[in-house]
């Protein structure tokens, strides 16, 4: 178990207050007289700079991330720390997999990469801290939700919503070892280190599932995958 839960798991999605729901009601009602009671105690500048379109998009992302977290929490809240392994992989686009793993179901798990993984955005201002992993209905597809390091964004409800919607979502196709979809917060997706994210994810999946039965007699052989 980690020495400090929040050192390994920067979860901040539970902090959204009822103000976000009040703002949603206001936007959906067109600021009608009937919507005014829900605004008691809510200042409009709490959402300054967030348009209705952005608000709904971020609310959708935040809800998606909360659902992923709820699924993880309901399945035991398992955290795996791969930071030491990631330090040896940082800077490489070639991932040395320990073995070939079976294409089986992955129960929800949070993998901690840490700063050691070197998953910095293109402007070097942020990094990817870890990821939730679980298989889709088809076990060949792994749903990956990457989590950025937490930074202080102030105390307004609008900034809280932004922090909780900083989601990078990907689907890993295990037949080809490639992401078949990469989406989420548009302001983050454009600057992600895609190849490095893939290599760290493949390595984590290999360790989580372990070797296929036919590989148990030759575990010293490393499967290498080029991510160029």
């Amino acid at each position: 178990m980690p020495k400090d839960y929040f050192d390994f798991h920067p979860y901040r999605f539970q902090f959204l207050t009822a103000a976000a729901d009040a703002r949603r009601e206001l936007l959906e009602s067109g600021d009608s007289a009937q919507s005014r009671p829900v605004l008691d105690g809510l200042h409009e500048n709490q959402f300054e700079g967030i348009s209705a379109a952005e608000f709904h998009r971020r609310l959708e992302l935040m809800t998606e991330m909360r659902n992923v977290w709820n699924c993880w929490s309901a399945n035991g809240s398992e955290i795996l720390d791969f930071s030491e392994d990631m330090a040896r992989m940082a800077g490489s686009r070639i991932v040395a997999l320990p073995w070939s793993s079976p294409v089986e179901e992955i129960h929800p798990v949070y993998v901690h990469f840490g700063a050691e993984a070197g998953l910095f955005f293109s402007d070097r201002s942020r990094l990817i801290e870890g990821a939730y992993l679980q298989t889709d209905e088809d076990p060949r597809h792994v749903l990956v939700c990457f989590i950025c390091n937490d930074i202080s964004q102030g105390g307004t409800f609008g900034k809280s919503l932004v922090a909780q919607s900083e989601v990078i979502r990907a689907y890993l196709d295990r037949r080809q070892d490639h992401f078949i979809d990469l989406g989420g917060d548009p302001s983050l997706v454009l600057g992600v280190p895609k190849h490095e994210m893939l290599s760290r994810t493949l390595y984590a999946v290999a360790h989580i599932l372990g070797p296929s039965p036919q590989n148990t007699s030759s575990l010293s052989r490393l499967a290498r995958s080029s991510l160029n």
Side-chain angles (χ1 to χ4, degrees):
M1 291 297 293
K3 60 182 179 181
D4 189 304
Y5 181 83
F6 285 102
D7 283 347
F8 288 75
H9 188 251
Y11 175 68
R12 54 198 175 275
F13 308 100
Q14 75 270 40
F15 299 132
L16 192 63
T17 69
D21 293 328
R23 174 64 169 169
R24 179 185 60 192
E25 291 181 30
L26 172 65
L27 293 169
E28 291 177 347
S29 66
D31 197 13
S32 65
Q34 293 179 342
S35 70
R36 299 310 302 176
V38 302
L39 294 176
D40 290 344
L42 174 64
H43 301 290
E44 283 299 302
N45 62 7
Q46 292 286 294
F47 291 94
E48 184 177 359
I50 298 181
S51 66
E54 182 183 0
F55 177 86
H56 283 290
R57 176 58 179 156
R58 290 200 172 277
L59 189 64
E60 178 183 316
L61 288 169
M62 183 275 296
T63 302
E64 179 180 333
M65 192 64 252
R66 179 175 285 174
N67 290 338
V68 169
W69 185 89
N70 285 336
C71 185
W72 169 80
S73 179
N75 282 274
S77 305
E78 184 176 10
I79 298 175
L80 301 178
D81 178 32
F82 282 100
S83 55
E84 291 186 8
D85 299 78
M86 295 296 108
R88 293 191 290 269
M89 297 176 63
S92 175
R93 289 192 175 189
I94 302 295
V95 52
L97 301 179
W99 45 65
S100 175
S101 298
V103 180
E104 296 178 350
E105 180 181 3
I106 297 176
H107 297 288
V109 60
Y110 179 79
V111 174
H112 175 244
F113 297 145
E116 295 87 345
L119 296 179
F120 289 92
F121 290 85
S122 56
D123 61 2
R124 306 289 296 182
S125 62
R126 304 288 300 280
L127 63 86
I128 294 173
E129 183 74 24
Y132 293 95
L133 305 179
Q134 66 183 76
T135 45
D136 199 1
E137 295 179 358
D138 185 342
R140 294 173 297 182
H141 295 162
V142 181
L143 173 61
V144 188
C145 289
F146 294 98
I147 305 300
C148 301
N149 60 318
D150 199 2
I151 61 173
S152 175
Q153 303 205 37
T156 68
F157 296 126
K159 289 180 179 178
S160 175
L161 178 60
V162 169
Q164 294 167 73
S165 59
E166 291 183 323
V167 177
I168 304 168
R169 178 194 63 253
Y171 279 95
L172 171 66
D173 185 343
R174 297 201 58 218
R175 294 168 298 185
Q176 303 181 24
D177 286 344
H178 285 296
F179 289 140
I180 55 177
D181 180 41
L182 187 66
D185 187 337
S187 65
L188 296 176
V189 171
L190 291 177
V192 297
K194 183 176 179 180
H195 294 296
E196 291 82 356
M197 290 161 63
L198 179 59
S199 70
R200 279 45 163 186
T201 302
L202 289 173
Y203 189 87
V205 167
H207 274 279
I208 290 170
L209 291 176
S212 295
Q214 63 267 28
N215 298 121
T216 55
S217 61
S218 58
L219 295 184
S220 61
R221 298 177 59 189
L222 296 180
R224 299 177 66 81
S225 175
S226 173
L227 303 176
N228 292 323

